[in-house]
Amino acid sequence: ILPTLNPSSIILVVEPLMYLLDLGKIDLRIRLEKLDARLLDMKWADLVIFCRNTEPAYDFVESLLPLGKPYIYELDDNLFELPFNTPEGIYHFAPERFAQLKKFIKNANLVRVYSSLLETSVRSYTSKVKSIKAPVNLYSIPSIAPKHKSEKLKIVFPTSRTISDDLSKIFIKDLSRILQEHSKSVEVHFWGFIPEELKGVPSVKFHRFMPNYQKYLQAMYKEGYDIGLAPMKNDLFHNSKTNNKFREYGACWIAGIYSNTDIYSNCVIDGKNGLLVSNEEGSWYQAITRLLSDARLRQSIQKEARALVEQEYSLNTFALLLLNDIDEVLSTP
């Protein structure tokens, strides 16, 4: 039962459960809480999975407890540490939603999170929590590097935020400098959002946000991007996120440049499967320049990142771990 079919729900719930359904391991009904989740579905199920549900208007905990039905709660963002001055913070810190979040967590048979920092936060409310690695679905992404359709080297920054993205401010001055110096040999592609400073620049391209996540990954691969930017703020909230950019860039054969924060330093080996940089002005310029001028390093990073993603972040491995968690919850009185 999902609040919406957002990227988190698709990556963590829908795709792995569909994989298990195809294997014949489970029967499955997927419902949206606002549209079609019914008591009959909860009676039918042996177990229910939620993902970031916090809306008190749909208090499924009160429905499940009398039925004796166990449930798993998926959480990939630290909703306890959201910045207060953001739309997300205002929404989730509303007293009724915050209370509903804690209610979901306290009564869950298992809470699955994707960072050790978030695990620590959740342990304040329950001991039934575990941290695991989030997946990426490689099913439709070829295991060979894409062919380049452009003579220009292509840099990409995708985001699901379609109005503004404060993270782009981390690299915007350095990227503007790159564009000034390499206007004839470099293209920069923004997905979902484009900074005001770069609107109208001929070598900057904009792509609309694609809600179909698998089609988005296919499009990223087909574009044949050379370099991907992954800025991240170094605070508790942002370090509690998943390493989504690393998984996406690795899957699509893109050499990533990452902020040197916990979220990325735990998976990126600097100079091997990515570059780690500080958020200080000038560091992004140096890293981008390095990859632009060193094709061998760029291609080596792309190859190493793809290999690690295949080995440690595959959907089938994640789905079988989920099945094991389901079996453990169902076998526990």
Side-chain angles (χ1 to χ4, degrees):
I1 299 177
L2 306 171
T4 182
L5 289 177
N6 58 23
S8 295
S9 298
I10 294 169
I11 296 168
L12 304 178
V13 179
V14 176
E15 289 185 340
L17 288 181
M18 292 297 292
Y19 179 85
L20 295 176
L21 178 67
D22 290 342
L23 289 181
K25 299 293 186 181
I26 62 171
D27 291 321
L28 175 64
R29 294 180 185 177
I30 296 176
R31 299 288 186 258
L32 296 180
E33 62 179 14
K34 294 181 181 180
L35 298 178
D36 51 7
R38 300 172 300 171
L39 184 60
L40 286 175
D41 296 314
M42 289 179 270
K43 289 182 177 179
W44 167 86
D46 296 303
L47 177 140
V48 180
I49 296 179
F50 299 96
C51 182
R52 298 170 59 108
N53 302 63
T54 60
E55 191 57 55
Y58 312 101
D59 193 347
F60 296 106
V61 177
E62 290 298 321
S63 300
L64 288 172
L65 291 179
L67 296 174
K69 302 286 186 175
Y71 70 89
I72 292 174
Y73 192 77
E74 298 276 350
L75 187 62
D76 67 332
D77 249 349
N78 197 335
L79 301 184
F80 302 100
E81 298 293 338
L82 278 165
F84 285 98
N85 59 343
T86 64
E88 293 88 347
I90 294 170
Y91 178 84
H92 284 290
F93 278 123
E96 64 276 14
R97 292 192 187 92
F98 197 65
Q100 190 65 28
L101 170 65
K102 292 188 287 185
K103 187 175 185 177
F104 264 114
I105 288 174
K106 288 179 178 180
N107 288 281
N109 298 79
L110 177 64
V111 180
R112 287 162 41 104
V113 299
Y114 298 89
S115 76
S116 58
L117 289 175
L118 182 51
E119 180 182 1
T120 299
S121 295
V122 171
R123 283 196 181 277
S124 300
Y125 302 96
T126 180
S127 61
K128 299 175 182 177
V129 56
K130 67 187 300 185
S131 177
I132 51 183
K133 292 180 178 179
V136 62
N137 189 348
L138 299 172
Y139 178 74
S140 59
I141 311 299
S143 58
I144 58 173
K147 294 182 180 180
H148 287 265
K149 302 176 182 178
S150 172
E151 294 181 356
K152 293 185 176 182
L153 289 172
K154 299 166 75 173
I155 301 172
V156 66
F157 176 64
T159 177
S160 60
R161 299 179 182 275
T162 57
I163 300 176
S164 65
D165 196 307
D166 291 340
L167 294 179
S168 64
K169 294 178 181 178
I170 292 173
F171 62 68
I172 193 66
K173 290 184 178 179
D174 287 7
L175 186 60
S176 298
R177 184 179 170 189
I178 291 289
L179 286 168
Q180 291 173 0
E181 296 178 4
H182 302 274
S183 59
K184 295 182 179 180
S185 59
V186 168
E187 277 184 1
V188 176
H189 292 243
F190 286 89
W191 285 73
F193 163 78
I194 183 170
E196 288 292 331
E197 298 93 328
L198 297 180
K199 286 183 177 179
V201 177
S203 53
V204 175
K205 311 297 180 183
F206 172 71
H207 305 264
R208 294 187 181 278
F209 171 71
M210 295 181 66
N212 186 314
Y213 188 69
Q214 203 58 32
K215 287 185 177 180
Y216 155 74
L217 284 181
Q218 292 170 8
M220 288 279 286
Y221 171 82
K222 290 177 182 177
E223 284 284 345
Y225 294 119
D226 300 282
I227 300 169
L229 306 181
M232 187 61 66
K233 295 179 181 178
N234 194 15
D235 56 34
L236 179 56
F237 170 69
H238 289 89
N239 279 322
S240 297
K241 289 178 171 291
T242 72
N243 58 356
N244 196 44
K245 288 286 190 296
F246 176 76
R247 304 193 315 274
E248 290 181 358
Y249 290 165
C252 297
W253 296 84
I254 301 170
I257 302 174
Y258 305 90
S259 290
N260 190 7
T261 59
D262 289 349
I263 183 177
Y264 291 127
S265 62
N266 288 329
C267 58
V268 176
I269 300 175
D270 186 42
K272 184 176 181 181
N273 56 15
L275 295 183
L276 291 171
V277 299
S278 75
N279 285 340
E280 295 180 359
E281 185 177 342
S283 62
W284 291 83
Y285 171 82
Q286 293 174 3
I288 295 170
T289 301
R290 182 182 177 188
L291 289 183
L292 290 176
S293 61
D294 193 337
R296 182 175 294 182
L297 174 63
R298 199 170 61 239
Q299 293 162 6
S300 174
I301 287 175
Q302 292 165 355
K303 184 178 180 181
E304 290 287 341
R306 171 70 190 211
L308 184 62
V309 166
E310 289 180 358
Q311 180 180 350
E312 297 190 10
Y313 297 94
S314 68
L315 176 66
N316 58 333
T317 299
F318 179 86
L320 294 177
L321 287 173
L322 175 57
L323 180 63
N324 184 67
D325 287 338
I326 291 171
D327 288 337
E328 286 191 7
V329 167
L330 289 174
S331 64
T332 302

